[in-house]
Amino acid sequence: MALFVALALAALGPIRNYDFFWHLATGRWIVEHRALPLTDPFAIASDRVEWINGEWLFEVVAYDAQEIVGLLGMSVLRALLAASIFTIVFFKSRRDLLLTAIAFAGAMQTFDLRPSSVALLFVVLAITARRWIAHAIIAALWINIHPSAILAPGIATLSTRRATPVIASALALLINPYGWRALVAPLELMTFVRSGAFINAEWLPSLPAQFPLLYLCVLGAAIAFVVRRREEGTWWRVLLLAGFAFLALRHVRNQGLFFAAFPLLMPRLEIRRAIAFVGAALAIALVALTADHRLGIAPERFPVRAVARLKTIGLPGNLYNPDQFGGFLIWSFYPQRRVLTDGRNELHRTFIPEYAHARRDQRAWRALLAKYRIDLAVDEYRPPLPVRDFVTGAQTTMPASLAYWPQKDWALIAFDDAGMVFARRAAFAQATIEKWEIRGVVPENSRRK
């Protein structure tokens, strides 16, 4: 109990993940319609293709939980989820407090309330399960919460070395609304990622300078396995942890899977109990002292106040937005307004290159706004743009908002620390614009002050 409380207090913090809100909105849609959406109902620029949503069960549960505890309570649930997972890790790892604390510290760098975090629990359960029925249940639940469930048969292969659990796990993966297509969808997404068509920070490699603890743990595991190489049953642990290490080093989003497995697969090291306790306390304290412990959602990540003002104003129309704001705007405005895009890259294969071209070409930019009938824009802050004076030839910079949302065409109606809101002048009555326009302000300049 003491460990659980310590982990929960250390993990307490705001929701920061941009995808959280489109997960909530999807859960709301499913509950209200009592069905799964066949295609994307939220974004106007998404492809009209079948949406293989392998995270629907998490979304329904998350939405129902939010209805009970609210957004403040969801940030508490985030901490309780992290504490629960690593308390289970502690008991499943032969009560190795030091390794559990180190793994907790490593996982919290990317942990949030999202399906991939729940997947950490299934990794722990799959590694430690031995009966075929347990593997079947784990796989069946996992595949409806996060696509990383495709790892389940491989985990069963190495952890049990028996055919029955492997077959049960593989067959259970088909217990989902999409059948075999749910297993293919994550592989197709990885192929799309490797094409270089877009950059998503979660899919970037884990760099040593950013995630030194990950590399130290991988190195420590390698040394420990060399030292204990003669122990019986070591080889499958080596292969399984090496697989998780490869995934974590390859993509930032996979780090949690490695850290969940790390204490379970590491050889038992003989360390004095007092030293292990002090080391564990320091690891947990490091998380507690460096974490942001506010409740709710992080206002520097989401345009909370700007969107609240837009709600008050009540102007209708399609919304322009960068993909990271899409989920929050879907949650805030659907079905009254639809967003342009969001973080589900696999549903925007056509739009992603179109958008990249428009950001570099002024005519293409205006054409994109016209194509999607954009009347309102909720934009992020971008670096100043270089401009050259045609008379003097001198180069200077201008705020990006003035280039993308020129004041003669767009009126600033709200801004906060995370974003800015603009209304297209031609789309609304002049009296309405005059009532709500914030005049004489360039948001980037005000933000710097």
Side-chain angles (χ1 to χ4, degrees):
M1 180 58 73
L3 176 63
F4 177 84
V5 172
L7 295 178
L9 291 175
L12 197 63
I15 303 296
R16 299 182 57 83
N17 184 258
Y18 290 121
D19 292 343
F20 171 74
F21 284 101
W22 68 253
H23 285 304
L24 277 189
T26 304
R28 178 176 61 193
W29 194 100
I30 294 170
V31 170
E32 290 176 349
H33 292 80
R34 298 182 181 275
L36 299 179
L38 297 179
T39 59
D40 170 42
F42 304 127
I44 55 178
S46 60
D47 296 329
R48 299 297 94 187
V49 297
E50 184 181 13
W51 179 16
I52 307 296
N53 179 14
E55 297 161 329
W56 69 271
L57 184 55
F58 169 86
E59 292 160 351
V60 170
V61 173
Y63 172 69
D64 287 339
Q66 187 278 151
E67 287 291 283
I68 297 171
V69 303
L71 291 177
L72 289 178
M74 293 302 281
S75 63
V76 175
L77 287 180
R78 171 188 177 273
L80 296 178
L81 175 64
S84 298
I85 290 172
F86 284 95
T87 299
I88 294 172
V89 167
F90 170 71
F91 287 107
K92 296 288 188 179
S93 63
R94 295 166 293 181
R95 297 174 181 262
D96 195 317
L97 183 61
L98 179 59
L99 290 182
T100 298
I102 292 172
F104 170 76
M108 288 310 297
Q109 291 185 278
T110 59
F111 192 93
D112 213 327
L113 190 55
R114 55 188 307 193
S116 59
S117 296
V118 181
L120 273 59
L121 174 61
F122 290 112
V123 166
V124 174
L125 297 178
I127 291 174
T128 55
R130 290 296 174 265
R131 299 179 61 186
W132 70 267
I133 188 64
H135 280 278
I137 293 172
I138 290 166
L141 289 173
W142 191 354
I143 192 60
N144 291 287
I145 288 178
H146 192 258
S148 59
I150 60 176
L151 299 174
I155 295 174
T157 299
L158 291 174
S159 63
T160 69
R161 282 88 68 198
R162 291 184 287 114
T164 305
V166 176
I167 295 171
S169 178
L171 291 177
L173 290 180
L174 298 175
I175 305 174
N176 70 82
Y178 311 99
W180 63 269
R181 290 171 298 169
L183 312 184
V184 175
L187 303 177
E188 293 177 339
L189 177 57
M190 286 188 286
T191 301
F192 186 37
V193 170
R194 287 195 291 268
S195 72
F198 68 96
I199 297 176
N200 186 321
E202 291 187 348
W203 288 99
L204 294 176
S206 300
L207 301 179
Q210 291 179 287
F211 304 102
L213 184 56
L214 171 64
Y215 281 80
L216 289 174
C217 287
V218 172
L219 178 61
I223 294 172
F225 279 120
V226 169
V227 172
R228 297 296 186 93
R229 63 186 181 276
R230 297 186 184 280
E231 288 186 1
E232 185 179 354
T234 297
W235 67 269
W236 72 267
R237 296 176 181 271
V238 173
L239 291 179
L240 195 49
L241 191 58
F244 283 118
F246 171 79
L247 293 175
L249 296 174
R250 185 76 179 272
H251 300 299
V252 171
R253 64 182 287 129
N254 295 326
Q255 289 186 25
L257 302 177
F258 169 82
F259 283 115
F262 177 68
L264 306 174
L265 300 175
M266 277 282 287
R268 184 77 174 181
L269 301 178
E270 299 300 328
I271 300 176
R272 289 186 178 180
R273 187 172 181 179
I275 295 176
F277 181 83
V278 171
L282 289 175
I284 297 172
L286 179 65
V287 175
L289 293 174
T290 57
D292 176 1
H293 293 297
R294 294 172 296 173
L295 298 182
I297 60 177
E300 71 278 5
R301 299 272 289 178
F302 302 94
V304 178
R305 288 184 290 110
V307 166
R309 178 175 165 87
L310 179 56
K311 279 187 174 182
T312 299
I313 295 172
L315 296 180
N318 290 339
L319 289 163
Y320 164 86
N321 61 279
D323 60 3
Q324 69 267 28
F325 288 168
F328 183 62
L329 295 173
I330 292 168
W331 173 250
S332 300
F333 291 115
Y334 184 84
Q336 289 79 17
R337 301 181 187 89
R338 296 179 69 199
V339 303
L340 180 63
T341 185
D342 59 61
R344 295 167 297 163
N345 305 119
E346 69 276 15
L347 294 181
H348 295 85
R349 294 171 185 258
T350 303
F351 174 74
I352 287 173
E354 177 187 24
Y355 179 72
H357 173 64
R359 298 295 304 186
R360 300 188 300 267
D361 186 287
Q362 190 176 43
R363 285 183 295 182
W365 174 252
R366 290 196 296 265
L368 181 139
L369 297 179
K371 174 182 177 180
Y372 294 106
R373 300 179 181 179
I374 300 298
D375 291 330
L376 298 165
V378 182
D379 204 2
E380 64 180 326
Y381 290 98
R382 301 177 186 273
L385 299 178
V387 294
R388 186 177 299 276
D389 189 304
F390 287 106
V391 177
T392 65
Q395 183 169 317
T396 183
T397 61
M398 69 179 297
S401 66
L402 296 180
Y404 290 108
W405 315 107
Q407 292 178 340
K408 67 181 181 65
D409 299 320
W410 295 84
L412 175 69
I413 60 173
F415 70 97
D416 59 19
D417 291 338
M420 310 162 279
V421 182
F422 299 90
R424 189 167 66 89
R425 296 182 185 277
F428 306 102
Q430 183 177 348
T432 301
I433 294 294
E434 290 177 352
K435 179 180 179 180
W436 297 108
E437 183 175 9
I438 302 173
R439 298 175 181 83
V441 173
V442 177
E444 292 94 330
N445 297 339
S446 298
R447 186 167 175 251
R448 282 196 290 271
K449 292 177 183 178

